[in-house]
Amino acid sequence: MHLSLSSVNILRSSIVWLSLMVPLLSSCAAKKIIYMHRITDQGVKEQIGSVVAFDTSNGLVIQPDLRDLPAGEHGFHLHSVGNCEPSEMGGRKVAGHSADGHWDPENTGTHQGPYGTGHLGDLSRLIVSEDKLARTRAYAPRLRVSDLSGKALMIHAGGDTYSDTPNLGGGGARIACGVID
């Protein structure tokens, strides 16, 4: 069989196109969009943007598109219950407390960050710019999109030490949350 030069070029272009599209199409099948809301002890408030979570060969990537958050580093976690409402703790209402604790299906009881061997709810810190926007990707190499359903994505007021000192890694109050379908 003899192919003309134009047929060979079309075939090469098709192969290149397919090699570029197949990874994109496969990543599209494994993604979730999570709508994030400001939370207080009075309840779930206005939407502050969204987060897209998608699978890669290196684990879960979380791409935020968030606004109106305090500048700096924030604890960013997967919580075990998909509920962002406040609930009582110690006789007072606490923002996002219905989401329960960080997701720890193996009951490690320890915080070691996304690359450690502690609970699976630790994500990379969320970085918020001086203009109150969060657009820097976070990573969770031990998670997949299939792990997310029925849980909550939580943003804490403070940074995260990825350790048990101070208590729960030092993230502090819960300031934003999104329920994952």
Side-chain angles (χ1 to χ4, degrees), residues 4-180:
S4 70
L5 185 56
S6 64
S7 295
V8 169
N9 286 337
I10 290 171
L11 184 59
R12 281 185 186 151
S13 295
S14 297
I15 291 169
V16 168
W17 183 83
L18 281 172
S19 70
L20 293 172
M21 291 308 294
V22 167
L24 290 174
L25 292 173
S26 64
S27 70
C28 288
K31 80 175 181 182
K32 287 245 184 220
I33 299 173
I34 305 148
Y35 297 98
M36 302 295 291
H37 294 84
R38 184 173 324 284
I39 57 172
T40 71
D41 62 355
Q42 300 300 304
V44 178
K45 303 299 181 181
E46 73 278 4
Q47 184 176 316
I48 59 167
S50 63
V51 170
V52 176
F54 57 94
D55 289 334
T56 70
S57 60
N58 295 318
L60 190 70
V61 173
I62 301 164
Q63 179 64 61
D65 185 10
L66 303 169
R67 64 189 175 282
D68 299 326
L69 288 166
E73 291 185 355
H74 296 272
F76 199 28
H77 301 105
L78 185 63
H79 282 243
S80 58
V81 177
N83 186 340
C84 295
E85 294 293 335
S87 65
E88 282 203 23
M89 181 174 82
R92 64 180 185 90
K93 285 203 167 199
V94 176
H97 191 255
S98 293
D100 206 11
H102 302 165
W103 188 48
D104 189 9
E106 297 165 3
N107 296 313
T108 66
T110 184
H111 302 79
Q112 297 181 23
Y115 298 95
T117 57
H119 70 70
L120 294 175
D122 270 344
L123 308 175
S124 297
R125 293 175 189 99
L126 182 71
I127 308 299
V128 179
S129 64
E130 290 299 320
D131 55 357
K132 300 183 177 188
L133 302 174
R135 300 238 165 47
T136 302
R137 287 182 170 178
Y139 298 92
R142 300 181 296 148
L143 294 179
R144 309 291 299 164
V145 167
S146 59
D147 296 321
L148 303 179
S149 291
K151 296 172 185 65
L153 192 58
M154 190 72 65
I155 300 171
H156 293 266
D160 195 328
T161 62
Y162 299 140
S163 72
D164 294 318
T165 307
N167 190 32
L168 301 178
R174 300 168 183 195
I175 61 170
C177 181
V179 172
I180 307 168

